[in-house]
Amino acid sequence: MLRICSRSAVTVLCLVTLATSGAAAARSLAFITIDFPGAISTNAQGIKAQGEIVGGYTDTAGRSHGYQLSGGHFQSIDVPNARATLARGIGPAGDIVGSYVAQVETTGVPAHGFLRNNRGEFSAADFPGHINTIPQRILPDGTILGCYHDTDTMGTMHGMSISRDGLSELPEAMSMHNGATPDGKLIVGLFTDMDNRQKGYFVDDGQFIPFEVPGATLTAAWDINPQRVTVGVYRDAAGRFHGFRYDGESFTSIDVPGVTATRVFGINSHGDMVGAYVDAAGRTHGFLAQWVANP
């Protein structure tokens, strides 16, 4: 593995050559830190093909906000009258989905879904008949993927989709849809199995297929791109968190060099990945990982 790093107060740029074969061996991953100005923590949740990124940050007062990063410029995203907002996914047209907590809610596990269209207008994105909804992604046709839950964040949680054709939900409890190919035929997510282990899953044309990163004690699939490359998070036997990339044949660990934990949450059609890492001081930063040609 080759690492070439430079650091500044704002960004970290590292090139990591992965031990792969074929054409991929001629490329490296460049990691770029994403920190919302003045924030005490930042994470990156989703990325579209054109490179726009959405995520969340915490300000010095401890309040959580969403953000959009486009062309090097940050824009805060706050649902009106919310006390906490997190932007989770961005669609091809620039529509953004995520979750928020209302100002009046202080108990339980409140989380409501929102859709912010490309004109900046907010609307509700809640699964009918359930107390809480967490939208995670929005597909080209406007389908929203995520989960609903009622009295807790796991036992009553089910993966779901909201589309023009209606509503669908996953019968497996403790599950969450997190991404899909543009046609919606291959969905990825996470669930807790009967053995009390968190695992990833595919829903391939209606067939539920669990999977785990080999040797992991926890696996969570967070996104998939049009080329059917899946990304997510796993925990190793020592309790450390890593990102992963799965191309349908093999798993590759994704780790920002020199940090204590790495999590990958999003991938676009170019293979660019976004997520969050924890540095040696315990601070959380967002990151963008891009493929670059080896010198």
Side-chain angles (χ1 to χ4, degrees), residues 191-212:
F191 79 113
T192 301
D193 207 346
M194 294 179 64
D195 59 6
N196 205 34
R197 289 166 65 94
Q198 185 170 297
K199 302 175 183 179
Y201 66 75
F202 296 108
V203 180
D204 192 353
D205 266 341
Q207 182 181 5
F208 184 81
I209 307 169
F211 73 91
E212 296 183 272

Side-chain angles (χ1 to χ4, degrees), residues 13 35 43 57 60 66 85 149 192-193 210 239 243 245 248:
L13 173 60
D35 281 326
N43 69 75
Y57 72 94
T60 53
T85 301
H149 56 102
T192 301
D193 207 346
R245 177 183 182 273

Side-chain angles (χ1 to χ4, degrees), residues 204-254:
D204 192 353
D205 266 341
Q207 182 181 5
F208 184 81
I209 307 169
F211 73 91
E212 296 183 272
V213 174
T217 62
L218 173 152
T219 301
W222 282 105
D223 203 6
I224 188 170
N225 71 3
Q227 292 77 31
R228 297 193 164 202
V229 177
T230 302
V231 295
V233 177
Y234 75 94
R235 185 178 62 205
D236 64 24
R240 184 175 177 182
F241 286 91
H242 311 262
F244 75 81
R245 177 183 182 273
Y246 177 59
D247 62 6
E249 296 182 356
S250 60
F251 290 90
T252 302
S253 287
I254 306 297

Side-chain angles (χ1 to χ4, degrees), residues 7-256:
R7 292 181 179 266
S8 71
V10 179
T11 63
V12 178
L13 173 60
C14 298
L15 304 187
V16 179
T17 301
L18 301 179
T20 56
S21 59
R27 300 186 303 164
S28 301
L29 273 179
F31 292 91
I32 302 172
T33 291
I34 299 170
D35 281 326
F36 193 94
I40 60 173
S41 70
T42 305
N43 69 75
Q45 294 278 325
I47 182 170
K48 61 183 287 191
Q50 292 77 14
E52 293 178 59
I53 296 168
V54 295
Y57 72 94
T58 303
D59 64 24
T60 53
R63 184 181 175 190
S64 298
H65 311 260
Y67 73 83
Q68 179 177 1
L69 175 59
S70 179
H73 300 286
F74 287 93
Q75 178 187 8
S76 282
I77 297 174
D78 289 292
V79 174
N81 300 315
R83 63 183 177 88
T85 301
L86 175 59
R88 295 174 176 268
I90 181 168
D95 300 321
I96 295 169
V97 293
S99 57
Y100 72 95
V101 178
Q103 288 280 4
V104 296
E105 294 173 315
T106 58
T107 61
V109 285
H112 305 283
F114 74 84
L115 167 66
R116 179 182 180 271
N117 66 24
N118 55 19
R119 298 183 300 278
E121 300 164 337
F122 288 92
S123 59
D126 290 318
F127 197 93
H130 294 278
I131 300 171
N132 305 290
T133 303
I134 301 176
Q136 185 67 27
R137 303 289 173 211
I138 182 167
L139 303 184
D141 67 354
T143 297
I144 295 173
L145 303 174
C147 67
Y148 68 76
H149 56 102
D150 292 318
T151 56
D152 57 43
T153 58
M154 290 302 295
T156 60
M157 185 170 74
H158 292 259
M160 64 82 191
S161 69
I162 304 170
S163 72
R164 297 186 182 95
D165 296 328
L167 308 170
S168 69
E169 52 194 302
L170 196 63
E172 282 77 12
M174 296 182 284
S175 60
M176 182 177 187
H177 286 346
N178 290 325
T181 52
D183 59 10
K185 291 185 177 180
L186 181 60
I187 298 171
V188 299
L190 60 87
F191 79 113
T192 301
D193 207 346
M194 294 179 64
D195 59 6
N196 205 34
R197 289 166 65 94
Q198 185 170 297
K199 302 175 183 179
Y201 66 75
F202 296 108
V203 180
D204 192 353
D205 266 341
Q207 182 181 5
F208 184 81
I209 307 169
F211 73 91
E212 296 183 272
V213 174
T217 62
L218 173 152
T219 301
W222 282 105
D223 203 6
I224 188 170
N225 71 3
Q227 292 77 31
R228 297 193 164 202
V229 177
T230 302
V231 295
V233 177
Y234 75 94
R235 185 178 62 205
D236 64 24
R240 184 175 177 182
F241 286 91
H242 311 262
F244 75 81
R245 177 183 182 273
Y246 177 59
D247 62 6
E249 296 182 356
S250 60
F251 290 90
T252 302
S253 287
I254 306 297
D255 289 292
V256 177

